[in-house]
Amino acid sequence: MRIVPLASESLGVRSLATFVEAGGIRILIDPGVALGPKRYGLPPAKIELETLQKMRRKIQGYARKADIVTISHYHYDHHTPFFEGLYESSSEAFAREIYEGKQLFIKHPTENINFSQRKRAWAFLKKAEPMAKRVEFADGRSFDLGGVTLEFSPAVPHGSEGSRLGFVVMVLIDDGTRLIHASDIQLLNRQAVEWIIEKNPDVLITGGPPTYLGKRAEGSWETGIKNLNEIIRETNAEVILDHHIVRDKRYGEFFDELEKRPKTFAGFLKVEDRPLEAYRRELHKIERGEKAEVPFSISRIS
């Protein structure tokens, strides 16, 4: 199995997009990329906008190679819609290149879904279904692809139980190596944790809790540590941890509290972490010619 992390917060954008090659089948997971429209009351810095475009081109390049596209839910940092958004990931031509002729395994558009994602799913399918080779609503289902199994979890909460952000599905790819991509579970609900432990992955790609939200995420740090340590003890999986947790400058401290230290997407790729959103205030100061320090290079986009 070949795993290629494509875009994430440690690479400068909001995403958890991943490319996997398993048994000769090429799978693109959650092909979306976006920026936080406001952070610290500020719009994205110039370097964030430049990085967004680079990550879009990277996803587009890997989409050309892919046979299968999976979508865990309909937030714009996890799927590419068919319109041009302000800081989102898409234009219709870009979206067409990702989905046309592909087999799509996607979150059910009408079951276990909140109102906003239901609207997005309807708009997405209206365009994607006629151009796709195959569309499967994947929640709780397993697919034998001839030497490779795709197994999807039932819909689980996007974060804590009862989250108003709706539901997501996780995907297990098994070609003898077992990889779980557990998008936006935030390590905060038992259903997701128990499914991961039951499936016993060799590699787990997941997003941490949204601790950057402060009081709105009170208790999420402790819950995330507890749940991920349980997964580590029960499965001994290699953990690739990124996304929401890396929007918090303290994410290294979170990693330090785990029984087995994970890698970010950047760490897995052996490049420096560049959590641009977490340092947006500093980036704006630097752009204005003021002094500010960031723990990564800003002389180039990597």
Side-chain angles (χ1 to χ4, degrees), residues 11 20 35 46 48 68 78 81 99 102-103 116 128 134 144 161 191 201 210 215 240 249 253 261 271 275 284:
L11 296 172
V20 177
L35 299 177
K46 180 181 177 183
E48 292 181 83
I68 289 170
H78 293 275
Y99 303 118
K102 311 299 185 188
Q103 298 184 64
S116 66
R134 170 186 183 185
D144 183 351
E161 188 69 38
Q191 293 164 262
K215 288 184 178 179
I240 303 170
K249 290 179 180 179
E253 298 171 33
R261 190 174 180 85
V271 299
H284 274 281

Side-chain angles (χ1 to χ4, degrees), residues 3-160:
I3 301 168
V4 185
L6 298 180
S8 70
E9 276 74 353
S10 72
L11 296 172
V13 293
R14 290 186 172 190
S15 184
L16 207 63
T18 306
F19 181 83
V20 177
E21 194 165 352
I25 297 171
R26 294 160 298 187
I27 304 162
L28 179 59
I29 304 171
D30 277 13
V33 57
L35 299 177
K38 290 288 182 182
R39 184 71 192 275
Y40 311 116
L42 296 168
K46 180 181 177 183
I47 194 171
E48 292 181 83
L49 295 168
E50 292 170 350
T51 302
L52 177 73
Q53 295 308 314
K54 175 158 187 172
M55 294 299 152
R56 285 178 62 174
R57 291 193 295 271
K58 186 195 289 190
I59 289 173
Q60 188 174 41
Y62 276 91
R64 294 188 187 111
K65 306 174 185 179
D67 308 301
I68 289 170
V69 176
T70 73
I71 294 174
S72 65
H73 63 299
Y74 298 96
H75 286 162
Y76 296 139
D77 51 346
H78 293 275
H79 89 295
T80 292
F82 287 85
F83 63 86
E84 187 72 57
L86 182 59
Y87 301 125
E88 310 302 353
S89 61
S90 187
S91 67
E92 183 158 341
F94 175 56
R96 177 176 290 276
E97 188 146 6
I98 292 176
Y99 303 118
E100 191 167 28
K102 311 299 185 188
Q103 298 184 64
L104 307 184
F105 295 83
I106 63 176
K107 167 79 188 68
H108 201 291
T110 61
E111 296 177 3
N112 293 306
I113 192 166
N114 65 5
F115 178 70
S116 66
Q117 289 198 58
R118 188 191 302 261
K119 285 174 60 181
R120 293 174 182 181
W122 177 84
F124 170 74
L125 279 170
K126 184 178 179 182
K127 294 278 191 177
E129 197 163 21
M131 69 177 64
K133 182 177 180 180
R134 170 186 183 185
V135 178
E136 297 282 358
F137 301 158
D139 308 35
R141 299 176 65 195
S142 182
F143 303 88
D144 183 351
L145 303 178
V148 178
T149 300
L150 288 189
E151 183 176 352
F152 292 83
S153 72
V156 299
H158 183 297
S160 301

Side-chain angles (χ1 to χ4, degrees), residues 202-216:
D202 300 298
V203 182
L204 171 65
I205 296 174
T206 192
T211 57
Y212 73 102
L213 293 174
K215 288 184 178 179
R216 285 183 288 166

